[in-house]
Amino acid sequence: MRIDIVTLFPEMFDAIIENGMSRVALEKGAMTLQCYNPRDETDDSYRRVDDRPYGGGPGMVMMPGPLTRCIDRVKQSNAGEVVYLSPQGEKLSHSLVSEFAGKADLILLCGRYEGIDQRVIETRVDREVSIGDFVVAGGELPAMLLIDAVSRLLPEVLGNASSAIEDSFSNGILDFPHYTRPEVFEGLEVPTVLLSGNHRKIEEWRHEQALSVTKRKRPDLLSDE
Ligand code: 4GS
């Protein structure tokens, strides 16, 4: 999977290039990441990428010129959808993450300041995705979140065969509780069924636990649809 990112802060992506499952996916060649900076597409000596909003008001808006030149450069080598991370987007979910994980190409557009000129959205953006109903300072963390979630689903990434499939949400409900050594911690024992070696019983117990934790903490997941 080829992911290209349009961002004024390419260094932020070092966090996911150097760590975690995204790093594993890159090392295995299951995914590539490349950042493109709209600042490199400016034509003035100040390298300006933002300007004051028409109609007034606080903050700055990303100018359409550098941004569209940057996007069009990326499009020369990436045929994927242009996804703009913004609070106006479709809410990111497991089903959206797995849909993206099935694509060969993807272009992620990260906004800063108050946002980007509407004409860029009209002419270049295929899709808007939101990580939730709150505002962050830039689209970079939302983009990294999406990449992190996608990279751990890529089939080439080790441990995937089972671990991603058995995940929370791949079956539409929350995860069951996990335990590791020691058998007794601060007086609390590991549920005996997990020590029984009876895999059928263990699966049953885990499913019951997953259902009851979902009923208690996220009943909406069971009632919807
Ligand atoms: C989100 C969000 C976001 C919007 C970026 C204002 C800076 C900011 N992006 N999901 N400009 N929520 N973006 O808050 O994706």
Side-chain angles (χ1 to χ4, degrees):
M1 178 176 196
R2 170 189 204 116
I3 304 179
D4 291 316
I5 305 145
V6 174
T7 172
L8 290 170
F9 293 93
E11 326 77 43
M12 287 183 72
F13 289 84
D14 290 348
I16 58 164
I17 291 170
E18 292 169 9
N19 300 284
M21 293 302 269
S22 44
R23 173 183 171 166
V24 172
L26 292 168
E27 285 171 348
K28 288 190 173 287
M31 178 175 82
T32 67
L33 289 185
Q34 201 169 335
C35 288
Y36 292 77
N37 194 335
R39 206 173 289 284
D40 295 333
E41 306 292 339
T42 51
D43 38 29
D44 66 315
S45 55
Y46 296 104
R47 309 224 299 157
R48 268 188 90 155
V49 292
D50 61 322
D51 209 335
R52 292 154 60 199
Y54 278 118
M60 302 294 270
V61 176
M62 284 178 79
M63 298 155 65
L67 206 47
T68 52
R69 283 193 289 278
C70 191
I71 294 167
D72 292 346
R73 186 182 299 283
V74 176
K75 279 169 168 275
Q76 288 174 9
S77 53
N78 187 319
E81 284 185 314
V82 176
V83 174
Y84 175 45
L85 286 307
S86 97
Q88 283 84 46
E90 177 185 353
K91 193 88 60 76
L92 191 60
S93 62
H94 173 73
S95 70
L96 203 46
V97 169
S98 32
E99 185 193 330
F100 286 134
K103 294 184 185 299
D105 282 1
L106 198 59
I107 301 171
L108 300 179
L109 176 53
C110 306
R112 279 271 152 182
Y113 318 116
E114 299 309 305
I116 70 180
D117 189 289
Q118 184 62 27
R119 292 164 293 187
V120 178
I121 298 175
E122 284 168 20
T123 60
R124 301 297 195 283
V125 171
D126 297 304
R127 196 153 179 184
E128 288 183 84
V129 170
S130 170
I131 59 163
D133 291 337
F134 51 89
V135 178
V136 293
E140 284 77 12
L141 286 170
M144 284 192 262
L145 201 83
L146 192 157
I147 295 165
D148 178 287
V150 163
S151 62
R152 54 188 296 289
L153 291 186
L154 297 177
E156 305 92 324
V157 177
L158 189 78
N160 242 342
S162 51
S163 92
I165 290 164
E166 286 178 16
D167 251 353
S168 219
F169 292 113
S170 58
N171 52 8
I173 61 175
L174 299 178
D175 210 355
F176 53 79
H178 302 270
Y179 295 87
T180 187
R181 291 193 298 176
E183 259 184 58
V184 182
F185 177 73
E186 295 188 347
L188 301 172
E189 290 174 15
V190 173
T192 42
V193 62
L194 299 178
L195 311 173
S196 68
N198 184 336
H199 296 291
R200 195 184 51 81
K201 270 257 188 294
I202 290 170
E203 280 320 296
E204 260 175 36
W205 180 86
R206 285 179 167 165
H207 186 63
E208 284 162 15
Q209 291 287 314
L211 274 180
S212 74
V213 77
T214 305
K215 219 171 279 174
R216 192 154 40 86
K217 295 184 174 176
R218 292 291 308 276
D220 57 303
L221 292 177
L222 296 173
S223 56
D224 277 359
E225 290 160 308

